[in-house]
Amino acid sequence: MDLLLQCAQEFERLISFQYHIIIGRKGKTLEFAISFQPSDFHHLAGLHKLKDNVRFQTGKRADILKEILAGKLTLLQAQQSIFFHEAEPRLAPLSSLEFFLDSNEIIFRFHPKIHSFSAIQADYLLQNTYKGTPVYLFLSKRTGEDTQVCRTFFPKSSKDYTEGQPRYTLLYKEKKNLVSGETLIQYDRLARKG
């Protein structure tokens, strides 16, 4: 199967879900929710890096996901970009984004000023592994909403984005199906204390 299509299908499934997370550090807790919208996929898949491919750069970001799902935009078309090597490392881990979120327990509060070499603006950094390689997922507040958006996602290369960032302990995580209303508690350290 076309890897770009596989990533799009996996991401489309996540749009029906929202995660609610509580983390703690030094006696203080933080709560946040992660939501998904079709327009989020474009940046997560690294399609913004394909600067010489007009089909991936024009139009609404949400429409790009629809076109990939419909087979109108393909991995082969993305590979024609001379910048594809910049997006390619994201695709295999992105096909497992739901697994990454379901199993993740490593969460940092992200302070961009600590990494002056980076232009990434985020509130949280989640780290997990994909086939033995650390992978970073950056979250930031969604404009006009009280949820976090998956801002950017990529495997670790030479830079360690966790260095100097405060690590939090996961206390609680639930995954809610917004269509059925069903909620699955994935982790609950708070119940064990009570």
Side-chain angles (χ1 to χ4, degrees):
M1 178 190 277
D2 180 311
L3 182 56
L4 185 60
L5 176 59
Q6 184 182 341
C7 290
Q9 289 172 339
E10 289 294 319
F11 188 82
E12 182 186 40
R13 189 181 128 65
L14 274 174
I15 294 170
S16 299
F17 291 93
Q18 189 174 88
Y19 290 84
H20 178 239
I21 297 172
I22 302 173
I23 55 176
R25 186 170 192 264
K26 297 182 178 179
K28 295 186 178 180
T29 60
L30 293 170
E31 290 187 47
F32 60 93
I34 305 171
S35 65
F36 307 90
Q37 292 181 3
S39 57
D40 302 341
F41 180 78
H42 190 268
H43 198 90
L44 291 177
L47 301 177
H48 62 289
K49 295 192 174 282
L50 310 181
K51 300 177 190 114
D52 59 346
N53 190 318
V54 74
R55 294 215 45 207
F56 287 101
Q57 295 305 310
T58 57
K60 292 182 178 179
R61 298 296 182 233
D63 291 343
I64 300 289
L65 178 65
K66 287 179 192 169
E67 289 188 38
I68 293 167
L69 290 167
K72 295 177 182 174
L73 289 175
T74 65
L75 179 64
L76 185 60
Q77 290 167 318
Q79 289 170 329
Q80 293 171 358
S81 169
I82 62 168
F83 301 105
F84 180 71
H85 67 280
E86 294 179 30
E88 186 176 22
R90 298 173 184 227
L91 294 179
L94 184 59
S95 69
S96 298
L97 180 59
E98 185 172 3
F99 175 79
F100 178 106
L101 289 164
D102 286 350
S103 64
N104 181 263
E105 294 179 18
I106 304 174
I107 302 173
F108 297 85
R109 187 80 164 107
F110 190 70
H111 300 289
K113 291 178 184 174
I114 291 174
H115 295 292
S116 56
F117 59 81
S118 173
I120 297 171
Q121 295 296 313
D123 300 316
Y124 299 98
L125 165 59
L126 280 60
Q127 180 182 310
N128 209 337
T129 58
Y130 178 81
K131 295 189 176 179
T133 300
V135 178
Y136 300 129
L137 174 62
F138 293 86
L139 307 174
S140 61
K141 191 170 189 310
R142 187 179 293 282
T143 306
E145 290 186 31
D146 196 24
T147 62
Q148 296 283 318
V149 57
C150 296
R151 180 66 59 208
T152 191
F153 180 75
F154 54 85
K156 179 183 177 184
S157 55
S158 58
K159 298 170 185 168
D160 183 353
Y161 285 88
T162 66
E163 191 176 319
Q165 303 292 349
R167 183 171 174 168
Y168 279 72
T169 301
L170 178 65
L171 301 175
Y172 180 86
K173 181 167 54 163
E174 69 180 27
K175 181 180 182 181
K176 182 174 185 178
N177 184 319
L178 301 174
V179 177
S180 70
E182 183 182 352
T183 298
L184 172 66
I185 297 172
Q186 296 182 317
Y187 188 87
D188 192 353
R189 191 167 173 176
L190 299 173
R192 287 186 229 158
K193 286 187 171 182

PDB file of all heavy atoms in Angstrom, residues 68-101:
ATOM      1  N   ILE A  68      -5.544  12.834  -0.856  1.00  0.00           N
ATOM      2  CA  ILE A  68      -4.706  11.646  -0.642  1.00  0.00           C
ATOM      3  C   ILE A  68      -5.609  10.431  -0.418  1.00  0.00           C
ATOM      4  O   ILE A  68      -5.394   9.370  -1.006  1.00  0.00           O
ATOM      5  CB  ILE A  68      -3.750  11.855   0.558  1.00  0.00           C
ATOM      6  CG1 ILE A  68      -2.723  12.946   0.232  1.00  0.00           C
ATOM      7  CG2 ILE A  68      -3.028  10.546   0.920  1.00  0.00           C
ATOM      8  CD1 ILE A  68      -1.939  13.450   1.427  1.00  0.00           C
ATOM      9  N   LEU A  69      -6.633  10.591   0.412  1.00  0.00           N
ATOM     10  CA  LEU A  69      -7.565   9.489   0.689  1.00  0.00           C
ATOM     11  C   LEU A  69      -8.301   9.039  -0.571  1.00  0.00           C
ATOM     12  O   LEU A  69      -8.622   7.858  -0.727  1.00  0.00           O
ATOM     13  CB  LEU A  69      -8.567   9.903   1.772  1.00  0.00           C
ATOM     14  CG  LEU A  69      -7.990  10.062   3.174  1.00  0.00           C
ATOM     15  CD1 LEU A  69      -8.979  10.766   4.092  1.00  0.00           C
ATOM     16  CD2 LEU A  69      -7.558   8.721   3.751  1.00  0.00           C
ATOM     17  N   ALA A  70      -8.550   9.965  -1.480  1.00  0.00           N
ATOM     18  CA  ALA A  70      -9.255   9.650  -2.730  1.00  0.00           C
ATOM     19  C   ALA A  70      -8.312   9.112  -3.809  1.00  0.00           C
ATOM     20  O   ALA A  70      -8.754   8.769  -4.907  1.00  0.00           O
ATOM     21  CB  ALA A  70      -9.980  10.894  -3.242  1.00  0.00           C
ATOM     22  N   GLY A  71      -7.010   9.077  -3.518  1.00  0.00           N
ATOM     23  CA  GLY A  71      -6.037   8.578  -4.488  1.00  0.00           C
ATOM     24  C   GLY A  71      -5.632   9.599  -5.531  1.00  0.00           C
ATOM     25  O   GLY A  71      -4.962   9.267  -6.509  1.00  0.00           O
ATOM     26  N   LYS A  72      -6.003  10.868  -5.335  1.00  0.00           N
ATOM     27  CA  LYS A  72      -5.648  11.919  -6.296  1.00  0.00           C
ATOM     28  C   LYS A  72      -4.243  12.461  -6.064  1.00  0.00           C
ATOM     29  O   LYS A  72      -3.622  12.995  -6.974  1.00  0.00           O
ATOM     30  CB  LYS A  72      -6.661  13.065  -6.223  1.00  0.00           C
ATOM     31  CG  LYS A  72      -8.054  12.657  -6.667  1.00  0.00           C
ATOM     32  CD  LYS A  72      -9.029  13.795  -6.523  1.00  0.00           C
ATOM     33  CE  LYS A  72     -10.435  13.373  -6.918  1.00  0.00           C
ATOM     34  NZ  LYS A  72     -11.421  14.423  -6.653  1.00  0.00           N
ATOM     35  N   LEU A  73      -3.762  12.348  -4.822  1.00  0.00           N
ATOM     36  CA  LEU A  73      -2.381  12.699  -4.492  1.00  0.00           C
ATOM     37  C   LEU A  73      -1.734  11.443  -3.911  1.00  0.00           C
ATOM     38  O   LEU A  73      -2.304  10.813  -3.016  1.00  0.00           O
ATOM     39  CB  LEU A  73      -2.324  13.838  -3.464  1.00  0.00           C
ATOM     40  CG  LEU A  73      -2.729  15.218  -3.947  1.00  0.00           C
ATOM     41  CD1 LEU A  73      -2.735  16.221  -2.796  1.00  0.00           C
ATOM     42  CD2 LEU A  73      -1.786  15.713  -5.043  1.00  0.00           C
ATOM     43  N   THR A  74      -0.547  11.099  -4.425  1.00  0.00           N
ATOM     44  CA  THR A  74       0.066   9.826  -4.047  1.00  0.00           C
ATOM     45  C   THR A  74       1.506  10.014  -3.555  1.00  0.00           C
ATOM     46  O   THR A  74       2.109  11.077  -3.736  1.00  0.00           O
ATOM     47  CB  THR A  74       0.098   8.869  -5.251  1.00  0.00           C
ATOM     48  OG1 THR A  74       0.970   9.436  -6.250  1.00  0.00           O
ATOM     49  CG2 THR A  74      -1.290   8.645  -5.832  1.00  0.00           C
ATOM     50  N   LEU A  75       2.010   8.944  -2.977  1.00  0.00           N
ATOM     51  CA  LEU A  75       3.406   8.937  -2.541  1.00  0.00           C
ATOM     52  C   LEU A  75       4.329   9.162  -3.738  1.00  0.00           C
ATOM     53  O   LEU A  75       5.307   9.898  -3.639  1.00  0.00           O
ATOM     54  CB  LEU A  75       3.739   7.609  -1.849  1.00  0.00           C
ATOM     55  CG  LEU A  75       5.176   7.448  -1.353  1.00  0.00           C
ATOM     56  CD1 LEU A  75       5.496   8.469  -0.265  1.00  0.00           C
ATOM     57  CD2 LEU A  75       5.418   6.035  -0.843  1.00  0.00           C
ATOM     58  N   LEU A  76       4.011   8.555  -4.864  1.00  0.00           N
ATOM     59  CA  LEU A  76       4.832   8.709  -6.064  1.00  0.00           C
ATOM     60  C   LEU A  76       4.927  10.179  -6.475  1.00  0.00           C
ATOM     61  O   LEU A  76       6.006  10.672  -6.826  1.00  0.00           O
ATOM     62  CB  LEU A  76       4.255   7.874  -7.215  1.00  0.00           C
ATOM     63  CG  LEU A  76       5.079   7.841  -8.499  1.00  0.00           C
ATOM     64  CD1 LEU A  76       6.468   7.262  -8.226  1.00  0.00           C
ATOM     65  CD2 LEU A  76       4.368   7.034  -9.566  1.00  0.00           C
ATOM     66  N   GLN A  77       3.822  10.919  -6.368  1.00  0.00           N
ATOM     67  CA  GLN A  77       3.849  12.351  -6.685  1.00  0.00           C
ATOM     68  C   GLN A  77       4.703  13.117  -5.682  1.00  0.00           C
ATOM     69  O   GLN A  77       5.439  14.022  -6.051  1.00  0.00           O
ATOM     70  CB  GLN A  77       2.429  12.912  -6.711  1.00  0.00           C
ATOM     71  CG  GLN A  77       1.618  12.404  -7.892  1.00  0.00           C
ATOM     72  CD  GLN A  77       0.144  12.699  -7.743  1.00  0.00           C
ATOM     73  OE1 GLN A  77      -0.420  12.553  -6.660  1.00  0.00           O
ATOM     74  NE2 GLN A  77      -0.497  13.092  -8.840  1.00  0.00           N
ATOM     75  N   ALA A  78       4.625  12.744  -4.412  1.00  0.00           N
ATOM     76  CA  ALA A  78       5.437  13.405  -3.386  1.00  0.00           C
ATOM     77  C   ALA A  78       6.919  13.120  -3.618  1.00  0.00           C
ATOM     78  O   ALA A  78       7.763  14.002  -3.443  1.00  0.00           O
ATOM     79  CB  ALA A  78       5.022  12.928  -1.997  1.00  0.00           C
ATOM     80  N   GLN A  79       7.231  11.912  -4.043  1.00  0.00           N
ATOM     81  CA  GLN A  79       8.630  11.514  -4.277  1.00  0.00           C
ATOM     82  C   GLN A  79       9.264  12.275  -5.430  1.00  0.00           C
ATOM     83  O   GLN A  79      10.486  12.319  -5.542  1.00  0.00           O
ATOM     84  CB  GLN A  79       8.712  10.004  -4.538  1.00  0.00           C
ATOM     85  CG  GLN A  79       8.441   9.178  -3.300  1.00  0.00           C
ATOM     86  CD  GLN A  79       8.289   7.701  -3.606  1.00  0.00           C
ATOM     87  OE1 GLN A  79       7.825   7.309  -4.687  1.00  0.00           O
ATOM     88  NE2 GLN A  79       8.663   6.863  -2.651  1.00  0.00           N
ATOM     89  N   GLN A  80       8.468  12.905  -6.278  1.00  0.00           N
ATOM     90  CA  GLN A  80       9.007  13.672  -7.401  1.00  0.00           C
ATOM     91  C   GLN A  80       9.633  14.995  -6.947  1.00  0.00           C
ATOM     92  O   GLN A  80      10.366  15.624  -7.696  1.00  0.00           O
ATOM     93  CB  GLN A  80       7.925  13.904  -8.448  1.00  0.00           C
ATOM     94  CG  GLN A  80       7.510  12.607  -9.120  1.00  0.00           C
ATOM     95  CD  GLN A  80       6.282  12.758 -10.004  1.00  0.00           C
ATOM     96  OE1 GLN A  80       5.692  13.814 -10.106  1.00  0.00           O
ATOM     97  NE2 GLN A  80       5.894  11.667 -10.655  1.00  0.00           N
ATOM     98  N   SER A  81       9.358  15.400  -5.719  1.00  0.00           N
ATOM     99  CA  SER A  81       9.942  16.629  -5.188  1.00  0.00           C
ATOM    100  C   SER A  81      11.404  16.401  -4.825  1.00  0.00           C
ATOM    101  O   SER A  81      11.754  15.373  -4.247  1.00  0.00           O
ATOM    102  CB  SER A  81       9.182  17.074  -3.932  1.00  0.00           C
ATOM    103  OG  SER A  81       9.891  18.103  -3.267  1.00  0.00           O
ATOM    104  N   ILE A  82      12.261  17.382  -5.135  1.00  0.00           N
ATOM    105  CA  ILE A  82      13.670  17.261  -4.737  1.00  0.00           C
ATOM    106  C   ILE A  82      13.823  17.403  -3.222  1.00  0.00           C
ATOM    107  O   ILE A  82      14.883  17.106  -2.673  1.00  0.00           O
ATOM    108  CB  ILE A  82      14.577  18.282  -5.471  1.00  0.00           C
ATOM    109  CG1 ILE A  82      14.181  19.721  -5.131  1.00  0.00           C
ATOM    110  CG2 ILE A  82      14.574  18.025  -6.970  1.00  0.00           C
ATOM    111  CD1 ILE A  82      15.190  20.755  -5.591  1.00  0.00           C
ATOM    112  N   PHE A  83      12.755  17.838  -2.541  1.00  0.00           N
ATOM    113  CA  PHE A  83      12.787  17.995  -1.086  1.00  0.00           C
ATOM    114  C   PHE A  83      12.165  16.801  -0.355  1.00  0.00           C
ATOM    115  O   PHE A  83      12.028  16.831   0.867  1.00  0.00           O
ATOM    116  CB  PHE A  83      12.048  19.281  -0.671  1.00  0.00           C
ATOM    117  CG  PHE A  83      12.627  20.518  -1.279  1.00  0.00           C
ATOM    118  CD1 PHE A  83      11.978  21.156  -2.335  1.00  0.00           C
ATOM    119  CD2 PHE A  83      13.823  21.048  -0.810  1.00  0.00           C
ATOM    120  CE1 PHE A  83      12.508  22.310  -2.897  1.00  0.00           C
ATOM    121  CE2 PHE A  83      14.352  22.191  -1.373  1.00  0.00           C
ATOM    122  CZ  PHE A  83      13.703  22.831  -2.418  1.00  0.00           C
ATOM    123  N   PHE A  84      11.789  15.749  -1.096  1.00  0.00           N
ATOM    124  CA  PHE A  84      11.107  14.623  -0.472  1.00  0.00           C
ATOM    125  C   PHE A  84      11.929  14.002   0.662  1.00  0.00           C
ATOM    126  O   PHE A  84      11.370  13.546   1.661  1.00  0.00           O
ATOM    127  CB  PHE A  84      10.753  13.546  -1.511  1.00  0.00           C
ATOM    128  CG  PHE A  84      10.050  12.366  -0.906  1.00  0.00           C
ATOM    129  CD1 PHE A  84       8.743  12.481  -0.445  1.00  0.00           C
ATOM    130  CD2 PHE A  84      10.697  11.144  -0.767  1.00  0.00           C
ATOM    131  CE1 PHE A  84       8.086  11.405   0.138  1.00  0.00           C
ATOM    132  CE2 PHE A  84      10.054  10.066  -0.186  1.00  0.00           C
ATOM    133  CZ  PHE A  84       8.742  10.194   0.263  1.00  0.00           C
ATOM    134  N   HIS A  85      13.250  14.021   0.529  1.00  0.00           N
ATOM    135  CA  HIS A  85      14.110  13.430   1.575  1.00  0.00           C
ATOM    136  C   HIS A  85      13.905  14.110   2.932  1.00  0.00           C
ATOM    137  O   HIS A  85      14.185  13.519   3.970  1.00  0.00           O
ATOM    138  CB  HIS A  85      15.582  13.497   1.163  1.00  0.00           C
ATOM    139  CG  HIS A  85      16.126  14.897   1.105  1.00  0.00           C
ATOM    140  ND1 HIS A  85      15.901  15.745   0.035  1.00  0.00           N
ATOM    141  CD2 HIS A  85      16.851  15.605   2.004  1.00  0.00           C
ATOM    142  CE1 HIS A  85      16.466  16.914   0.276  1.00  0.00           C
ATOM    143  NE2 HIS A  85      17.055  16.855   1.462  1.00  0.00           N
ATOM    144  N   GLU A  86      13.395  15.355   2.933  1.00  0.00           N
ATOM    145  CA  GLU A  86      13.135  16.059   4.195  1.00  0.00           C
ATOM    146  C   GLU A  86      11.831  15.584   4.844  1.00  0.00           C
ATOM    147  O   GLU A  86      11.688  15.634   6.063  1.00  0.00           O
ATOM    148  CB  GLU A  86      13.064  17.572   3.952  1.00  0.00           C
ATOM    149  CG  GLU A  86      14.388  18.178   3.512  1.00  0.00           C
ATOM    150  CD  GLU A  86      14.281  19.676   3.259  1.00  0.00           C
ATOM    151  OE1 GLU A  86      13.447  20.332   3.914  1.00  0.00           O
ATOM    152  OE2 GLU A  86      15.024  20.180   2.397  1.00  0.00           O
ATOM    153  N   ALA A  87      10.895  15.141   4.062  1.00  0.00           N
ATOM    154  CA  ALA A  87       9.600  14.676   4.584  1.00  0.00           C
ATOM    155  C   ALA A  87       9.599  13.172   4.851  1.00  0.00           C
ATOM    156  O   ALA A  87       8.923  12.706   5.771  1.00  0.00           O
ATOM    157  CB  ALA A  87       8.489  15.024   3.586  1.00  0.00           C
ATOM    158  N   GLU A  88      10.351  12.426   4.075  1.00  0.00           N
ATOM    159  CA  GLU A  88      10.297  10.958   4.119  1.00  0.00           C
ATOM    160  C   GLU A  88      10.467  10.336   5.508  1.00  0.00           C
ATOM    161  O   GLU A  88       9.712   9.421   5.860  1.00  0.00           O
ATOM    162  CB  GLU A  88      11.337  10.378   3.156  1.00  0.00           C
ATOM    163  CG  GLU A  88      11.259   8.878   3.040  1.00  0.00           C
ATOM    164  CD  GLU A  88      12.230   8.323   2.011  1.00  0.00           C
ATOM    165  OE1 GLU A  88      13.230   9.003   1.680  1.00  0.00           O
ATOM    166  OE2 GLU A  88      11.981   7.208   1.536  1.00  0.00           O
ATOM    167  N   PRO A  89      11.405  10.810   6.360  1.00  0.00           N
ATOM    168  CA  PRO A  89      11.579  10.162   7.667  1.00  0.00           C
ATOM    169  C   PRO A  89      10.351  10.223   8.570  1.00  0.00           C
ATOM    170  O   PRO A  89      10.231   9.441   9.507  1.00  0.00           O
ATOM    171  CB  PRO A  89      12.744  10.936   8.299  1.00  0.00           C
ATOM    172  CG  PRO A  89      13.461  11.597   7.171  1.00  0.00           C
ATOM    173  CD  PRO A  89      12.410  11.851   6.132  1.00  0.00           C
ATOM    174  N   ARG A  90       9.424  11.125   8.301  1.00  0.00           N
ATOM    175  CA  ARG A  90       8.218  11.257   9.131  1.00  0.00           C
ATOM    176  C   ARG A  90       7.163  10.207   8.817  1.00  0.00           C
ATOM    177  O   ARG A  90       6.332   9.882   9.671  1.00  0.00           O
ATOM    178  CB  ARG A  90       7.564  12.635   8.908  1.00  0.00           C
ATOM    179  CG  ARG A  90       8.425  13.789   9.279  1.00  0.00           C
ATOM    180  CD  ARG A  90       7.764  15.091   8.873  1.00  0.00           C
ATOM    181  NE  ARG A  90       8.640  16.221   9.139  1.00  0.00           N
ATOM    182  CZ  ARG A  90       8.256  17.332   9.736  1.00  0.00           C
ATOM    183  NH1 ARG A  90       7.019  17.480  10.131  1.00  0.00           N
ATOM    184  NH2 ARG A  90       9.116  18.308   9.933  1.00  0.00           N
ATOM    185  N   LEU A  91       7.146   9.713   7.593  1.00  0.00           N
ATOM    186  CA  LEU A  91       6.016   8.919   7.127  1.00  0.00           C
ATOM    187  C   LEU A  91       5.840   7.587   7.847  1.00  0.00           C
ATOM    188  O   LEU A  91       4.742   7.275   8.303  1.00  0.00           O
ATOM    189  CB  LEU A  91       6.093   8.721   5.614  1.00  0.00           C
ATOM    190  CG  LEU A  91       5.937  10.005   4.796  1.00  0.00           C
ATOM    191  CD1 LEU A  91       6.045   9.706   3.302  1.00  0.00           C
ATOM    192  CD2 LEU A  91       4.624  10.707   5.100  1.00  0.00           C
ATOM    193  N   ALA A  92       6.896   6.783   7.955  1.00  0.00           N
ATOM    194  CA  ALA A  92       6.743   5.474   8.620  1.00  0.00           C
ATOM    195  C   ALA A  92       6.275   5.646  10.066  1.00  0.00           C
ATOM    196  O   ALA A  92       5.297   5.005  10.474  1.00  0.00           O
ATOM    197  CB  ALA A  92       8.027   4.668   8.526  1.00  0.00           C
ATOM    198  N   PRO A  93       6.900   6.527  10.880  1.00  0.00           N
ATOM    199  CA  PRO A  93       6.388   6.718  12.240  1.00  0.00           C
ATOM    200  C   PRO A  93       4.961   7.286  12.265  1.00  0.00           C
ATOM    201  O   PRO A  93       4.173   6.922  13.135  1.00  0.00           O
ATOM    202  CB  PRO A  93       7.369   7.704  12.880  1.00  0.00           C
ATOM    203  CG  PRO A  93       8.596   7.644  12.055  1.00  0.00           C
ATOM    204  CD  PRO A  93       8.150   7.259  10.674  1.00  0.00           C
ATOM    205  N   LEU A  94       4.623   8.147  11.299  1.00  0.00           N
ATOM    206  CA  LEU A  94       3.285   8.741  11.267  1.00  0.00           C
ATOM    207  C   LEU A  94       2.210   7.678  11.047  1.00  0.00           C
ATOM    208  O   LEU A  94       1.095   7.803  11.555  1.00  0.00           O
ATOM    209  CB  LEU A  94       3.201   9.822  10.186  1.00  0.00           C
ATOM    210  CG  LEU A  94       1.888  10.597  10.104  1.00  0.00           C
ATOM    211  CD1 LEU A  94       1.577  11.306  11.425  1.00  0.00           C
ATOM    212  CD2 LEU A  94       1.937  11.607   8.963  1.00  0.00           C
ATOM    213  N   SER A  95       2.556   6.621  10.347  1.00  0.00           N
ATOM    214  CA  SER A  95       1.584   5.541  10.121  1.00  0.00           C
ATOM    215  C   SER A  95       1.227   4.837  11.430  1.00  0.00           C
ATOM    216  O   SER A  95       0.253   4.094  11.491  1.00  0.00           O
ATOM    217  CB  SER A  95       2.126   4.523   9.102  1.00  0.00           C
ATOM    218  OG  SER A  95       3.216   3.809   9.657  1.00  0.00           O
ATOM    219  N   SER A  96       2.007   5.096  12.491  1.00  0.00           N
ATOM    220  CA  SER A  96       1.751   4.508  13.811  1.00  0.00           C
ATOM    221  C   SER A  96       1.435   5.575  14.860  1.00  0.00           C
ATOM    222  O   SER A  96       1.669   5.361  16.050  1.00  0.00           O
ATOM    223  CB  SER A  96       2.970   3.697  14.254  1.00  0.00           C
ATOM    224  OG  SER A  96       3.222   2.641  13.380  1.00  0.00           O
ATOM    225  N   LEU A  97       0.922   6.733  14.433  1.00  0.00           N
ATOM    226  CA  LEU A  97       0.673   7.834  15.366  1.00  0.00           C
ATOM    227  C   LEU A  97      -0.297   7.437  16.484  1.00  0.00           C
ATOM    228  O   LEU A  97      -0.085   7.780  17.645  1.00  0.00           O
ATOM    229  CB  LEU A  97       0.147   9.066  14.627  1.00  0.00           C
ATOM    230  CG  LEU A  97      -0.152  10.301  15.495  1.00  0.00           C
ATOM    231  CD1 LEU A  97       1.103  10.771  16.231  1.00  0.00           C
ATOM    232  CD2 LEU A  97      -0.724  11.434  14.643  1.00  0.00           C
ATOM    233  N   GLU A  98      -1.334   6.700  16.150  1.00  0.00           N
ATOM    234  CA  GLU A  98      -2.293   6.301  17.190  1.00  0.00           C
ATOM    235  C   GLU A  98      -1.618   5.406  18.226  1.00  0.00           C
ATOM    236  O   GLU A  98      -1.810   5.576  19.434  1.00  0.00           O
ATOM    237  CB  GLU A  98      -3.498   5.592  16.576  1.00  0.00           C
ATOM    238  CG  GLU A  98      -4.576   5.275  17.597  1.00  0.00           C
ATOM    239  CD  GLU A  98      -5.851   4.740  16.972  1.00  0.00           C
ATOM    240  OE1 GLU A  98      -5.908   4.543  15.739  1.00  0.00           O
ATOM    241  OE2 GLU A  98      -6.809   4.512  17.737  1.00  0.00           O
ATOM    242  N   PHE A  99      -0.801   4.462  17.776  1.00  0.00           N
ATOM    243  CA  PHE A  99      -0.057   3.603  18.714  1.00  0.00           C
ATOM    244  C   PHE A  99       0.868   4.458  19.575  1.00  0.00           C
ATOM    245  O   PHE A  99       0.992   4.243  20.777  1.00  0.00           O
ATOM    246  CB  PHE A  99       0.749   2.547  17.952  1.00  0.00           C
ATOM    247  CG  PHE A  99       1.623   1.720  18.846  1.00  0.00           C
ATOM    248  CD1 PHE A  99       1.094   0.683  19.601  1.00  0.00           C
ATOM    249  CD2 PHE A  99       2.975   1.996  18.952  1.00  0.00           C
ATOM    250  CE1 PHE A  99       1.905  -0.071  20.449  1.00  0.00           C
ATOM    251  CE2 PHE A  99       3.789   1.260  19.796  1.00  0.00           C
ATOM    252  CZ  PHE A  99       3.250   0.220  20.542  1.00  0.00           C
ATOM    253  N   PHE A 100       1.530   5.432  18.947  1.00  0.00           N
ATOM    254  CA  PHE A 100       2.427   6.355  19.664  1.00  0.00           C
ATOM    255  C   PHE A 100       1.660   7.035  20.800  1.00  0.00           C
ATOM    256  O   PHE A 100       2.117   7.076  21.941  1.00  0.00           O
ATOM    257  CB  PHE A 100       2.958   7.392  18.675  1.00  0.00           C
ATOM    258  CG  PHE A 100       3.855   8.453  19.266  1.00  0.00           C
ATOM    259  CD1 PHE A 100       5.223   8.432  19.045  1.00  0.00           C
ATOM    260  CD2 PHE A 100       3.347   9.500  20.029  1.00  0.00           C
ATOM    261  CE1 PHE A 100       6.051   9.408  19.585  1.00  0.00           C
ATOM    262  CE2 PHE A 100       4.159  10.476  20.567  1.00  0.00           C
ATOM    263  CZ  PHE A 100       5.527  10.424  20.339  1.00  0.00           C
ATOM    264  N   LEU A 101       0.498   7.568  20.505  1.00  0.00           N
ATOM    265  CA  LEU A 101      -0.296   8.282  21.505  1.00  0.00           C
ATOM    266  C   LEU A 101      -0.879   7.334  22.558  1.00  0.00           C
ATOM    267  O   LEU A 101      -0.923   7.670  23.739  1.00  0.00           O
ATOM    268  CB  LEU A 101      -1.420   9.066  20.825  1.00  0.00           C
ATOM    269  CG  LEU A 101      -0.954  10.279  20.025  1.00  0.00           C
ATOM    270  CD1 LEU A 101      -2.046  10.752  19.086  1.00  0.00           C
ATOM    271  CD2 LEU A 101      -0.510  11.397  20.941  1.00  0.00           C
TER     272      LEU A 101
END
